[in-house]
Structure formats: C-alpha cells, structure tokens
C-alpha cells in the first residue's frame, strides 16, 4: 500500500482502538463477516458443512458488529488482516480507491467456475472496478413489498397485483375506503423505497462523484409520499408499521427480503411478495445491496491459502441453498435456477429477466452518507413536520458535510445494513 493511501486510513482507524479477534492463522481461513442477525446462523451452518468435508484449510467465521471499524484498523496497522471478508456492494469503490482490496483473479484461476456466467449479473457487476474484479457475490438483499392477501380481498383490490407493480395512483384510490386503524402502506425502510422511486423518475444520488439529495426527482417522490400521509394511508408517525403489518392491519409492507422468514412465523398472516410500489407499472426498481466476498490487501496470504479460499467459495456457490433460508436472493446461478429455490419467496426477484433487472444496487462510494442524511429529515417531510424544500436543503448540506469530513460517518453509516 503506498504512503498516500495509507495516510488516508490513519484518521479513520484512529477513531476506534478495538480488540481484534480471529486474526489470520496459517492453517485456517479467517473469515470476517457482519452477519449479526439470524442470517449469521445460516452462514455458520454453511461454514460448518464445508469444514466437515475435511478441507486443507478449514474456515473460521468471525462475526463482527463493528467489522468495518476493525477493517480500517487492521489495514492501517498491517497486522491481523483476515484472509476473507464479506462486505457490502457500496464499500467496493472506496476500498479499491484506498488500495485495500486485492483482485480475485487468482481465485478465478484456481477455480474456473468462479466466473461471471455462474452468478446473477446484478451481484457480479458491483465488484468490477476499472475492468478488474475484486469480489465474488454471495447474494442480493434489499427492499421487497409484502402484501396482506386477506385485506386485498376485503377491499376488492387484488387486481392491483395483476402486473406485479402497485402504483401510487392505485394506493391513493383507497383514500377514505379503509376501516379505522387499517392502512394502505407502512413506513418500514421508507428511505429505501424513496431512493428506489428517485431512480424510477430518472434521478440519481450523485453527479460527477458528488452526492445529490436536493433534486427535482427527490422532491417529486417525497411530495407523493406526503400526499399518501395526508390521506391517512400510511401508518402513523412514531408507530411500528412493520408490527402493524404483522398484526394484519396494513395492505402493503415495504420491508426487507430477509423478513419473509419473520412474516412466515405469524400464523394469522396470509401474505405474498411483490415489487416496491412505483409511479407506473413499466418503470420499477427495488433498492438492493449485495454481500460480496473479498480479500483485503495482505502480504501474508499464501498462494496455497488462496487455493483454499477458492475451494470454499466454490463450495458456497454449489451449496448455498442454505443461504436462501435466510431470505436472501442467492447470487449463485446453480441455486436461483434450481426448482427447489422456488419454494422461497425471494425467488420472485429472479423469476424473470425483468425482475432481475429491477434489483438496483447503489454502487456510489458515499451511498451510506446519502442514506444517513436523508433519514434525518425524510419522516418529518412525509408527515408534514417540516417543509419538503427545507428538508431537502438540510439533507443536502448534511451529506456534503459528511463527505467533506470523511472517516467517521463512513464507518457508522453501514453498521445497520443487513
């Protein structure tokens, strides 16, 4: 790593002096991941199953809730760098810019099945920077929209699902028609839904590398959401819209692909899954991210261990049906094209080329800042607590400050990501 790039890391690493665990072992593959939820158990199952094959280099999985802080720290010191990491898609550009990632070309040479043709394109592309491949994908995960079958039938609007895209106009048509205490949509993951609709309107969250929140497209989306709130169609501010959906009083819930497992555990909830609502049926996107396997820059990783890493990743490629149980959209073509995968609700998002193309991953380096700044004002704008114009100006100023400051916000912005 050159001196300039290393100096960029110094300020970040100094933010947290942490006790590191799972440092590189010459006889094992040390694998850091941020899977602190239920999905971590499914990953552990895959790792355990792989180790039972008696590989030359068994895998030691280390779950770290503050993984990115630890990454910056070990990269600054050059000591304790893990052999393998699982990072989010929007981390790739910045890590590459700082010289933190190694190309995975050696892995692809060690096992020729680790190639773009064997993975979902939308998951493979975020790992490509300037023609070099830096990651192997595990999954795509992001927003989905769940619906209450019984409520759709009750209100005679099951036809909303005929084209797999519920529109704002259709939702607005329910104004004044719902029983007291019942709602058309909730506010779960509302930032993600908003960003997806900005893309639907042809907008972007960056221009020439600079973050953009205060745009005509963002204003149009937030204005539409406020109209829904004013019509009493969104769950009340301050209440848990996710829980209200599970309680049977919301028609559409915009939460994550992984929450299908939680919805399935509610015996009284008769639900299905479709795309995030949009302005028109022909243009829709589902805000997504991806978990990507990567190798941090390290002089200690041997050629033999890289072969072991390739063996492990190919095992995951062939055996990640277990990962589907976590509600994730598995990136391996072997899995998502397997008829067995159709039993999992998230298979909806790979069921056609159009659905696959809807999985919009924000690859912008400062995506985390954009979401963080938007989240500080979005709910207040939607529920009328602040004027939309004022909120967008405030968010734009905040995201520009975060980018200018660097470091701290970058570490903090990602930790809530699934």
């Amino acid at each position: 790593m050159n001196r300039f790039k290393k100096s960029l890391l110094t300020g970040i690493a100094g933010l947290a002096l942490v006790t590191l665990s799972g440092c590189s072992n010459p006889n094992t593959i040390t694998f850091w991941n941020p899977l602190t939820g239920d999905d971590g158990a499914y990953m552990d199952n895959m790792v355990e199953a792989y180790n039972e094959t008696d590989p030359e280099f068994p895998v030691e999985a280390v779950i770290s809730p503050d993984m990115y802080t630890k990454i910056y720290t070990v990269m600054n010191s050059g000591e304790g760098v893990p052999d393998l990491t699982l990072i989010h898609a929007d981390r790739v550009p910045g890590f590459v810019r700082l010289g933190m990632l190694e190309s995975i070309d050696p892995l692809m040479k060690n096992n020729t099945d680790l190639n773009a043709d064997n993975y979902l394109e939308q998951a493979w592309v975020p790992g490509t920077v300037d023609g070099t491949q830096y990651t192997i994908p595990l999954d795509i995960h992001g927003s989905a929209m769940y619906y209450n079958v019984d409520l759709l039938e009750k209100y005679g609007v099951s036809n909303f699902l005929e084209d797999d895209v519920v529109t704002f106009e259709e939702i607005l048509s329910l104004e004044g028609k719902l029983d007291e205490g019942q709602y058309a949509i909730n506010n779960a993951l509302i930032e993600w839904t908003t960003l997806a609709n900005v893309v639907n309107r042809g907008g972007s969250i960056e221009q020439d590398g600079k973050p953009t929140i205060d745009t005509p497209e963002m204003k149009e989306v937030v204005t539409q959401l406020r109209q829904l709130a004013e019509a009493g169609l969104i769950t009340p501010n301050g209440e848990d819209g996710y829980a209200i959906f599970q309680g049977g009083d919301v028609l559409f819930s915009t939460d994550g692909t992984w929450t299908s497992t939680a919805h399935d555990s509610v015996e009284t909830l008769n639900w299905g899954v479709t795309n995030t609502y949009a302005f028109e049926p022909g243009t829709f996107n589902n805000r997504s991210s991806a978990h990507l396997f990567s190798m941090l820059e390290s002089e200690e990783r041997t050629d033999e261990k890289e072969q072991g890493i390739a063996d492990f990743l190919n095992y995951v490629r062939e055996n990640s049906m277990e990962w589907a149980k976590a509600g994730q959209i598995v990136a391996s073509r072997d899995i998502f094209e397997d008829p067995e995968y159709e039993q999992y609700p998230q298979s909806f998002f790979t069921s056609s080329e159009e659905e696959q193309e809807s999985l919009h991953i924000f690859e912008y380096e400062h995506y985390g800042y954009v979401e963080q700044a938007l989240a500080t004002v979005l709910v207040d704008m939607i529920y009328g607590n602040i004027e939309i114009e004022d909120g967008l100006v405030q968010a734009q100023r905040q995201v520009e400050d975060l980018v200018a400051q660097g470091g701290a916000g970058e570490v903090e912005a990602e930790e809530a990501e699934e």
Side-chain angles (χ1 to χ4, degrees):
M1 185 183 304
N2 67 48
R3 186 180 302 274
F4 174 69
K5 290 179 178 177
K6 186 171 182 179
S7 69
L8 290 174
L9 296 174
T10 303
I12 298 171
L15 293 170
L17 297 177
V18 295
T19 300
L20 301 177
S21 60
C23 297
S24 183
N25 184 311
N27 301 314
T28 64
I29 295 169
T30 304
F31 168 43
W32 284 8
N33 68 75
L35 305 173
T36 57
D38 293 341
D39 48 4
Y42 293 107
M43 176 56 70
D44 286 345
N45 290 342
M46 289 196 293
V47 169
E48 182 179 355
Y50 176 71
N51 288 340
E52 288 176 354
T53 68
D54 194 27
E56 181 179 358
F57 292 93
V59 176
E60 177 191 5
V62 180
I63 297 176
S64 301
D66 56 349
M67 185 189 74
Y68 291 110
T69 301
K70 290 184 177 183
I71 284 177
Y72 286 122
T73 301
V74 298
M75 291 304 292
N76 183 63
S77 68
E79 298 179 358
V81 178
D83 301 304
L84 184 66
T85 48
L86 192 68
I87 64 175
H88 293 89
D90 58 283
R91 288 283 170 170
V92 175
F95 279 14
V96 171
R97 176 175 59 82
L98 293 172
M100 293 168 61
L101 292 185
E102 291 191 3
S103 164
I104 52 91
D105 284 348
L107 304 186
M108 294 192 289
K109 291 177 180 178
N110 286 333
N111 193 308
T112 57
D113 287 330
L114 300 175
N115 65 72
D117 292 340
N118 286 332
Y119 292 92
L120 186 62
E121 179 181 0
Q122 286 70 23
W124 183 271
V125 170
T128 309
V129 179
D130 296 332
T132 298
Q133 191 67 30
Y134 290 95
T135 65
I136 296 289
L138 171 64
D139 67 30
I140 286 182
H141 57 279
S143 58
M145 190 163 80
Y146 299 92
Y147 55 87
N148 185 311
V149 175
D150 296 334
L151 287 184
L152 291 178
E153 292 177 353
K154 172 182 176 179
Y155 293 110
V157 292
S158 299
N159 61 297
F160 284 4
L161 300 173
E162 289 178 353
D163 53 15
D164 292 322
V165 180
V166 179
T167 65
F168 281 108
E169 183 179 1
E170 288 172 328
I171 296 171
L172 278 169
S173 73
L174 294 169
E175 182 178 2
K177 299 178 181 179
L178 304 182
D179 291 347
E180 185 176 354
Q182 294 191 330
Y183 305 92
I185 63 173
N186 63 13
N187 52 16
L189 294 183
I190 195 69
E191 294 89 359
W192 293 9
T193 302
T194 300
L195 291 169
N197 273 292
V198 167
V199 175
N200 291 342
R201 301 314 273 175
S204 177
I205 61 171
E206 62 95 10
Q207 184 175 7
D208 299 326
K210 297 180 179 180
T212 55
I213 292 179
D214 188 6
T215 64
E217 295 83 8
M218 182 70 77
K219 182 179 180 180
E220 180 182 8
V221 175
V222 178
T223 299
Q224 185 71 84
L225 289 168
R226 176 178 283 192
Q227 186 176 359
L228 295 179
E230 291 173 343
L233 295 169
I234 304 182
T235 51
N237 187 15
E239 296 190 19
D240 189 342
Y242 173 85
I244 297 174
F245 174 75
Q246 289 198 330
D249 288 317
V250 176
L251 275 73
F252 302 107
S253 176
T254 52
D255 48 273
T257 53
W258 58 90
T259 56
S260 60
T261 57
H263 293 332
D264 213 27
S265 68
V266 181
E267 294 183 3
T268 58
L269 186 62
N270 184 13
W271 61 273
V273 67
T274 190
N275 298 293
T276 304
Y277 51 76
F279 283 89
E280 54 190 22
T283 305
F284 63 95
N285 285 277
N286 297 289
R287 178 275 182 202
S288 302
S289 185
H291 287 123
L292 308 173
F293 292 106
S294 66
M295 295 190 299
L296 297 174
E297 183 73 30
S298 174
E299 296 179 358
E300 297 180 359
R301 190 182 298 110
T302 64
D303 292 344
E304 291 77 15
K305 185 169 283 192
E306 287 183 351
Q307 176 65 66
I309 293 172
D311 292 343
F312 172 62
L313 296 186
N314 194 55
Y315 176 88
V316 171
R317 182 185 68 82
E318 295 177 332
N319 297 277
S320 50
M321 193 66 74
E322 177 73 12
W323 192 239
K325 297 177 184 178
Q328 313 290 20
I329 302 169
V330 179
S332 169
R333 190 170 296 277
D334 274 18
I335 305 303
F336 72 76
E337 290 185 348
D338 189 325
E340 181 184 346
Y341 185 63
E342 295 176 9
Q343 69 178 294
Y344 298 100
Q346 69 270 24
S347 66
F348 171 81
F349 296 102
T350 51
S351 61
S352 68
E353 184 174 341
E354 185 179 32
E355 287 300 331
Q356 292 177 25
E357 291 175 352
S358 79
L359 300 173
H360 185 90
I361 294 179
F362 288 95
E363 301 175 41
Y364 178 46
E365 179 179 353
H366 301 303
Y367 168 81
Y369 289 147
V370 173
E371 185 180 320
Q372 181 180 346
L374 179 62
T376 62
V377 297
L378 181 58
V379 169
D380 283 332
M381 290 191 295
I382 291 173
Y383 289 98
N385 297 329
I386 59 175
E387 292 302 317
I388 295 174
E389 292 81 0
D390 294 340
L392 294 181
V393 169
Q394 178 182 328
Q396 182 66 41
R397 185 182 302 117
Q398 180 177 353
V399 73
E400 290 173 358
D401 288 346
L402 287 170
V403 171
Q405 293 167 6
E410 198 75 68
V411 172
E412 296 167 358
E414 193 72 55
E415 303 300 352
E417 174 77 71
E418 279 294 325

